[in-house]
PDB file of all heavy atoms in Angstrom:
ATOM      1  N   GLY A 904     -21.670-152.136 -59.193  1.00  0.00           N
ATOM      2  CA  GLY A 904     -21.722-152.869 -60.442  1.00  0.00           C
ATOM      3  C   GLY A 904     -22.901-153.816 -60.533  1.00  0.00           C
ATOM      4  O   GLY A 904     -23.162-154.401 -61.589  1.00  0.00           O
ATOM      5  N   PHE A 905     -23.639-153.965 -59.431  1.00  0.00           N
ATOM      6  CA  PHE A 905     -24.841-154.821 -59.425  1.00  0.00           C
ATOM      7  C   PHE A 905     -25.933-154.129 -60.227  1.00  0.00           C
ATOM      8  O   PHE A 905     -26.273-152.984 -59.972  1.00  0.00           O
ATOM      9  CB  PHE A 905     -25.288-155.058 -57.979  1.00  0.00           C
ATOM     10  CG  PHE A 905     -26.344-156.120 -57.823  1.00  0.00           C
ATOM     11  CD1 PHE A 905     -26.039-157.455 -57.978  1.00  0.00           C
ATOM     12  CD2 PHE A 905     -27.651-155.766 -57.503  1.00  0.00           C
ATOM     13  CE1 PHE A 905     -27.012-158.428 -57.817  1.00  0.00           C
ATOM     14  CE2 PHE A 905     -28.628-156.736 -57.350  1.00  0.00           C
ATOM     15  CZ  PHE A 905     -28.301-158.060 -57.510  1.00  0.00           C
ATOM     16  N   ARG A 906     -26.500-154.820 -61.212  1.00  0.00           N
ATOM     17  CA  ARG A 906     -27.400-154.194 -62.174  1.00  0.00           C
ATOM     18  C   ARG A 906     -28.643-153.594 -61.505  1.00  0.00           C
ATOM     19  O   ARG A 906     -29.248-154.203 -60.632  1.00  0.00           O
ATOM     20  CB  ARG A 906     -27.844-155.207 -63.232  1.00  0.00           C
ATOM     21  CG  ARG A 906     -26.723-155.743 -64.089  1.00  0.00           C
ATOM     22  CD  ARG A 906     -26.195-154.686 -65.048  1.00  0.00           C
ATOM     23  NE  ARG A 906     -27.206-154.300 -66.016  1.00  0.00           N
ATOM     24  CZ  ARG A 906     -27.427-154.949 -67.141  1.00  0.00           C
ATOM     25  NH1 ARG A 906     -26.719-156.006 -67.471  1.00  0.00           N
ATOM     26  NH2 ARG A 906     -28.361-154.512 -67.979  1.00  0.00           N
ATOM     27  N   ALA A 907     -29.024-152.400 -61.976  1.00  0.00           N
ATOM     28  CA  ALA A 907     -30.181-151.704 -61.432  1.00  0.00           C
ATOM     29  C   ALA A 907     -31.453-152.512 -61.585  1.00  0.00           C
ATOM     30  O   ALA A 907     -32.314-152.520 -60.708  1.00  0.00           O
ATOM     31  CB  ALA A 907     -30.329-150.335 -62.100  1.00  0.00           C
ATOM     32  N   GLY A 908     -31.583-153.191 -62.709  1.00  0.00           N
ATOM     33  CA  GLY A 908     -32.775-154.013 -62.940  1.00  0.00           C
ATOM     34  C   GLY A 908     -32.937-155.119 -61.911  1.00  0.00           C
ATOM     35  O   GLY A 908     -34.053-155.430 -61.490  1.00  0.00           O
ATOM     36  N   TRP A 909     -31.801-155.685 -61.490  1.00  0.00           N
ATOM     37  CA  TRP A 909     -31.869-156.747 -60.468  1.00  0.00           C
ATOM     38  C   TRP A 909     -32.258-156.174 -59.110  1.00  0.00           C
ATOM     39  O   TRP A 909     -32.927-156.850 -58.318  1.00  0.00           O
ATOM     40  CB  TRP A 909     -30.532-157.470 -60.383  1.00  0.00           C
ATOM     41  CG  TRP A 909     -30.226-158.317 -61.577  1.00  0.00           C
ATOM     42  CD1 TRP A 909     -29.252-158.117 -62.505  1.00  0.00           C
ATOM     43  CD2 TRP A 909     -30.934-159.501 -61.983  1.00  0.00           C
ATOM     44  NE1 TRP A 909     -29.306-159.089 -63.468  1.00  0.00           N
ATOM     45  CE2 TRP A 909     -30.321-159.956 -63.171  1.00  0.00           C
ATOM     46  CE3 TRP A 909     -32.009-160.204 -61.464  1.00  0.00           C
ATOM     47  CZ2 TRP A 909     -30.754-161.099 -63.847  1.00  0.00           C
ATOM     48  CZ3 TRP A 909     -32.441-161.349 -62.133  1.00  0.00           C
ATOM     49  CH2 TRP A 909     -31.816-161.782 -63.303  1.00  0.00           C
ATOM     50  N   VAL A 910     -31.828-154.940 -58.829  1.00  0.00           N
ATOM     51  CA  VAL A 910     -32.226-154.290 -57.572  1.00  0.00           C
ATOM     52  C   VAL A 910     -33.736-154.112 -57.535  1.00  0.00           C
ATOM     53  O   VAL A 910     -34.398-154.428 -56.540  1.00  0.00           O
ATOM     54  CB  VAL A 910     -31.527-152.922 -57.424  1.00  0.00           C
ATOM     55  CG1 VAL A 910     -32.067-152.173 -56.192  1.00  0.00           C
ATOM     56  CG2 VAL A 910     -30.021-153.090 -57.317  1.00  0.00           C
ATOM     57  N   GLN A 911     -34.326-153.629 -58.637  1.00  0.00           N
ATOM     58  CA  GLN A 911     -35.764-153.448 -58.705  1.00  0.00           C
ATOM     59  C   GLN A 911     -36.492-154.782 -58.600  1.00  0.00           C
ATOM     60  O   GLN A 911     -37.519-154.882 -57.927  1.00  0.00           O
ATOM     61  CB  GLN A 911     -36.137-152.743 -60.007  1.00  0.00           C
ATOM     62  CG  GLN A 911     -35.602-151.322 -60.103  1.00  0.00           C
ATOM     63  CD  GLN A 911     -36.043-150.629 -61.383  1.00  0.00           C
ATOM     64  OE1 GLN A 911     -37.198-150.259 -61.522  1.00  0.00           O
ATOM     65  NE2 GLN A 911     -35.118-150.458 -62.316  1.00  0.00           N
ATOM     66  N   LEU A 912     -35.965-155.791 -59.272  1.00  0.00           N
ATOM     67  CA  LEU A 912     -36.577-157.123 -59.222  1.00  0.00           C
ATOM     68  C   LEU A 912     -36.556-157.672 -57.804  1.00  0.00           C
ATOM     69  O   LEU A 912     -37.542-158.263 -57.341  1.00  0.00           O
ATOM     70  CB  LEU A 912     -35.848-158.070 -60.180  1.00  0.00           C
ATOM     71  CG  LEU A 912     -36.425-159.482 -60.294  1.00  0.00           C
ATOM     72  CD1 LEU A 912     -37.844-159.458 -60.850  1.00  0.00           C
ATOM     73  CD2 LEU A 912     -35.532-160.346 -61.190  1.00  0.00           C
ATOM     74  N   ALA A 913     -35.430-157.495 -57.098  1.00  0.00           N
ATOM     75  CA  ALA A 913     -35.316-157.989 -55.725  1.00  0.00           C
ATOM     76  C   ALA A 913     -36.316-157.275 -54.821  1.00  0.00           C
ATOM     77  O   ALA A 913     -36.967-157.897 -53.961  1.00  0.00           O
ATOM     78  CB  ALA A 913     -33.887-157.771 -55.216  1.00  0.00           C
ATOM     79  N   PHE A 914     -36.451-155.961 -54.999  1.00  0.00           N
ATOM     80  CA  PHE A 914     -37.418-155.199 -54.202  1.00  0.00           C
ATOM     81  C   PHE A 914     -38.829-155.710 -54.428  1.00  0.00           C
ATOM     82  O   PHE A 914     -39.592-155.929 -53.490  1.00  0.00           O
ATOM     83  CB  PHE A 914     -37.327-153.713 -54.555  1.00  0.00           C
ATOM     84  CG  PHE A 914     -38.308-152.849 -53.800  1.00  0.00           C
ATOM     85  CD1 PHE A 914     -38.009-152.371 -52.533  1.00  0.00           C
ATOM     86  CD2 PHE A 914     -39.541-152.531 -54.359  1.00  0.00           C
ATOM     87  CE1 PHE A 914     -38.923-151.590 -51.832  1.00  0.00           C
ATOM     88  CE2 PHE A 914     -40.461-151.757 -53.664  1.00  0.00           C
ATOM     89  CZ  PHE A 914     -40.142-151.277 -52.399  1.00  0.00           C
ATOM     90  N   ASP A 915     -39.180-155.910 -55.708  1.00  0.00           N
ATOM     91  CA  ASP A 915     -40.528-156.384 -56.033  1.00  0.00           C
ATOM     92  C   ASP A 915     -40.763-157.793 -55.515  1.00  0.00           C
ATOM     93  O   ASP A 915     -41.879-158.127 -55.086  1.00  0.00           O
ATOM     94  CB  ASP A 915     -40.754-156.340 -57.547  1.00  0.00           C
ATOM     95  CG  ASP A 915     -41.017-154.924 -58.048  1.00  0.00           C
ATOM     96  OD1 ASP A 915     -41.184-154.017 -57.206  1.00  0.00           O
ATOM     97  OD2 ASP A 915     -41.049-154.729 -59.276  1.00  0.00           O
ATOM     98  N   ALA A 916     -39.732-158.638 -55.533  1.00  0.00           N
ATOM     99  CA  ALA A 916     -39.873-159.996 -55.010  1.00  0.00           C
ATOM    100  C   ALA A 916     -40.213-159.972 -53.518  1.00  0.00           C
ATOM    101  O   ALA A 916     -41.085-160.710 -53.053  1.00  0.00           O
ATOM    102  CB  ALA A 916     -38.585-160.792 -55.256  1.00  0.00           C
ATOM    103  N   VAL A 917     -39.509-159.115 -52.785  1.00  0.00           N
ATOM    104  CA  VAL A 917     -39.796-158.981 -51.341  1.00  0.00           C
ATOM    105  C   VAL A 917     -41.202-158.417 -51.140  1.00  0.00           C
ATOM    106  O   VAL A 917     -41.957-158.882 -50.272  1.00  0.00           O
ATOM    107  CB  VAL A 917     -38.742-158.064 -50.677  1.00  0.00           C
ATOM    108  CG1 VAL A 917     -39.140-157.742 -49.236  1.00  0.00           C
ATOM    109  CG2 VAL A 917     -37.370-158.718 -50.721  1.00  0.00           C
ATOM    110  N   LEU A 918     -41.557-157.437 -51.978  1.00  0.00           N
ATOM    111  CA  LEU A 918     -42.881-156.800 -51.862  1.00  0.00           C
ATOM    112  C   LEU A 918     -43.995-157.822 -52.063  1.00  0.00           C
ATOM    113  O   LEU A 918     -44.955-157.876 -51.285  1.00  0.00           O
ATOM    114  CB  LEU A 918     -42.989-155.691 -52.902  1.00  0.00           C
ATOM    115  CG  LEU A 918     -44.041-154.613 -52.678  1.00  0.00           C
ATOM    116  CD1 LEU A 918     -43.714-153.802 -51.424  1.00  0.00           C
ATOM    117  CD2 LEU A 918     -44.100-153.685 -53.888  1.00  0.00           C
ATOM    118  N   PHE A 919     -43.873-158.646 -53.074  1.00  0.00           N
ATOM    119  CA  PHE A 919     -44.912-159.651 -53.328  1.00  0.00           C
ATOM    120  C   PHE A 919     -44.910-160.745 -52.265  1.00  0.00           C
ATOM    121  O   PHE A 919     -45.956-161.305 -51.966  1.00  0.00           O
ATOM    122  CB  PHE A 919     -44.739-160.244 -54.734  1.00  0.00           C
ATOM    123  CG  PHE A 919     -45.380-159.403 -55.811  1.00  0.00           C
ATOM    124  CD1 PHE A 919     -44.666-158.429 -56.478  1.00  0.00           C
ATOM    125  CD2 PHE A 919     -46.707-159.589 -56.150  1.00  0.00           C
ATOM    126  CE1 PHE A 919     -45.256-157.635 -57.455  1.00  0.00           C
ATOM    127  CE2 PHE A 919     -47.313-158.822 -57.125  1.00  0.00           C
ATOM    128  CZ  PHE A 919     -46.584-157.844 -57.786  1.00  0.00           C
ATOM    129  N   ALA A 920     -43.740-161.044 -51.691  1.00  0.00           N
ATOM    130  CA  ALA A 920     -43.691-162.016 -50.612  1.00  0.00           C
ATOM    131  C   ALA A 920     -44.441-161.488 -49.385  1.00  0.00           C
ATOM    132  O   ALA A 920     -45.206-162.213 -48.738  1.00  0.00           O
ATOM    133  CB  ALA A 920     -42.235-162.325 -50.251  1.00  0.00           C
ATOM    134  N   VAL A 921     -44.236-160.196 -49.090  1.00  0.00           N
ATOM    135  CA  VAL A 921     -44.959-159.569 -47.976  1.00  0.00           C
ATOM    136  C   VAL A 921     -46.451-159.529 -48.276  1.00  0.00           C
ATOM    137  O   VAL A 921     -47.302-159.709 -47.377  1.00  0.00           O
ATOM    138  CB  VAL A 921     -44.418-158.147 -47.717  1.00  0.00           C
ATOM    139  CG1 VAL A 921     -45.287-157.412 -46.696  1.00  0.00           C
ATOM    140  CG2 VAL A 921     -42.968-158.210 -47.241  1.00  0.00           C
ATOM    141  N   ALA A 922     -46.802-159.319 -49.538  1.00  0.00           N
ATOM    142  CA  ALA A 922     -48.211-159.247 -49.931  1.00  0.00           C
ATOM    143  C   ALA A 922     -48.958-160.537 -49.603  1.00  0.00           C
ATOM    144  O   ALA A 922     -50.157-160.508 -49.327  1.00  0.00           O
ATOM    145  CB  ALA A 922     -48.324-158.945 -51.433  1.00  0.00           C
ATOM    146  N   LEU A 923     -48.245-161.659 -49.606  1.00  0.00           N
ATOM    147  CA  LEU A 923     -48.876-162.941 -49.286  1.00  0.00           C
ATOM    148  C   LEU A 923     -49.390-162.989 -47.849  1.00  0.00           C
ATOM    149  O   LEU A 923     -50.252-163.790 -47.525  1.00  0.00           O
ATOM    150  CB  LEU A 923     -47.904-164.086 -49.536  1.00  0.00           C
ATOM    151  CG  LEU A 923     -47.631-164.433 -51.004  1.00  0.00           C
ATOM    152  CD1 LEU A 923     -46.465-165.391 -51.124  1.00  0.00           C
ATOM    153  CD2 LEU A 923     -48.894-165.018 -51.645  1.00  0.00           C
ATOM    154  N   ALA A 924     -48.835-162.119 -46.990  1.00  0.00           N
ATOM    155  CA  ALA A 924     -49.293-162.070 -45.611  1.00  0.00           C
ATOM    156  C   ALA A 924     -50.555-161.243 -45.464  1.00  0.00           C
ATOM    157  O   ALA A 924     -51.261-161.333 -44.453  1.00  0.00           O
ATOM    158  CB  ALA A 924     -48.194-161.504 -44.709  1.00  0.00           C
ATOM    159  N   LEU A 925     -50.851-160.419 -46.477  1.00  0.00           N
ATOM    160  CA  LEU A 925     -52.005-159.526 -46.415  1.00  0.00           C
ATOM    161  C   LEU A 925     -53.109-159.882 -47.398  1.00  0.00           C
ATOM    162  O   LEU A 925     -54.259-159.519 -47.197  1.00  0.00           O
ATOM    163  CB  LEU A 925     -51.544-158.078 -46.682  1.00  0.00           C
ATOM    164  CG  LEU A 925     -50.518-157.494 -45.720  1.00  0.00           C
ATOM    165  CD1 LEU A 925     -50.036-156.146 -46.217  1.00  0.00           C
ATOM    166  CD2 LEU A 925     -51.128-157.353 -44.321  1.00  0.00           C
ATOM    167  N   ARG A 926     -52.747-160.552 -48.483  1.00  0.00           N
ATOM    168  CA  ARG A 926     -53.686-160.930 -49.527  1.00  0.00           C
ATOM    169  C   ARG A 926     -53.633-162.441 -49.743  1.00  0.00           C
ATOM    170  O   ARG A 926     -52.632-163.072 -49.437  1.00  0.00           O
ATOM    171  CB  ARG A 926     -53.339-160.251 -50.863  1.00  0.00           C
ATOM    172  CG  ARG A 926     -53.192-158.749 -50.799  1.00  0.00           C
ATOM    173  CD  ARG A 926     -54.554-158.053 -50.912  1.00  0.00           C
ATOM    174  NE  ARG A 926     -55.038-157.635 -49.617  1.00  0.00           N
ATOM    175  CZ  ARG A 926     -56.171-156.988 -49.411  1.00  0.00           C
ATOM    176  NH1 ARG A 926     -56.964-156.703 -50.420  1.00  0.00           N
ATOM    177  NH2 ARG A 926     -56.526-156.621 -48.207  1.00  0.00           N
ATOM    178  N   ASP A 927     -54.701-163.021 -50.296  1.00  0.00           N
ATOM    179  CA  ASP A 927     -54.685-164.455 -50.568  1.00  0.00           C
ATOM    180  C   ASP A 927     -53.801-164.744 -51.777  1.00  0.00           C
ATOM    181  O   ASP A 927     -53.554-163.870 -52.618  1.00  0.00           O
ATOM    182  CB  ASP A 927     -56.107-164.955 -50.822  1.00  0.00           C
ATOM    183  CG  ASP A 927     -56.742-164.298 -52.035  1.00  0.00           C
ATOM    184  OD1 ASP A 927     -57.329-163.204 -51.872  1.00  0.00           O
ATOM    185  OD2 ASP A 927     -56.634-164.877 -53.136  1.00  0.00           O
ATOM    186  N   PRO A 928     -53.290-165.981 -51.907  1.00  0.00           N
ATOM    187  CA  PRO A 928     -52.358-166.320 -52.990  1.00  0.00           C
ATOM    188  C   PRO A 928     -52.917-166.035 -54.385  1.00  0.00           C
ATOM    189  O   PRO A 928     -52.176-165.600 -55.271  1.00  0.00           O
ATOM    190  CB  PRO A 928     -52.115-167.815 -52.786  1.00  0.00           C
ATOM    191  CG  PRO A 928     -52.328-168.032 -51.323  1.00  0.00           C
ATOM    192  CD  PRO A 928     -53.447-167.098 -50.949  1.00  0.00           C
ATOM    193  N   ALA A 929     -54.201-166.282 -54.608  1.00  0.00           N
ATOM    194  CA  ALA A 929     -54.786-166.036 -55.922  1.00  0.00           C
ATOM    195  C   ALA A 929     -54.717-164.559 -56.283  1.00  0.00           C
ATOM    196  O   ALA A 929     -54.366-164.188 -57.417  1.00  0.00           O
ATOM    197  CB  ALA A 929     -56.225-166.529 -55.965  1.00  0.00           C
ATOM    198  N   THR A 930     -55.046-163.703 -55.323  1.00  0.00           N
ATOM    199  CA  THR A 930     -54.996-162.257 -55.560  1.00  0.00           C
ATOM    200  C   THR A 930     -53.576-161.804 -55.856  1.00  0.00           C
ATOM    201  O   THR A 930     -53.347-160.983 -56.755  1.00  0.00           O
ATOM    202  CB  THR A 930     -55.550-161.497 -54.339  1.00  0.00           C
ATOM    203  OG1 THR A 930     -56.916-161.853 -54.152  1.00  0.00           O
ATOM    204  CG2 THR A 930     -55.439-160.000 -54.540  1.00  0.00           C
ATOM    205  N   VAL A 931     -52.606-162.345 -55.114  1.00  0.00           N
ATOM    206  CA  VAL A 931     -51.204-161.994 -55.368  1.00  0.00           C
ATOM    207  C   VAL A 931     -50.780-162.495 -56.743  1.00  0.00           C
ATOM    208  O   VAL A 931     -50.027-161.822 -57.464  1.00  0.00           O
ATOM    209  CB  VAL A 931     -50.293-162.566 -54.262  1.00  0.00           C
ATOM    210  CG1 VAL A 931     -48.818-162.315 -54.589  1.00  0.00           C
ATOM    211  CG2 VAL A 931     -50.630-161.944 -52.913  1.00  0.00           C
TER     212      VAL A 931
END
Side-chain angles (χ1 to χ4, degrees):
F905 191 72
R906 297 289 295 274
W909 289 112
V910 173
Q911 295 182 73
L912 183 62
F914 178 85
D915 283 351
V917 172
L918 200 65
F919 276 92
V921 172
L923 286 169
L925 299 173
R926 307 277 101 178
D927 62 274
T930 298
V931 175

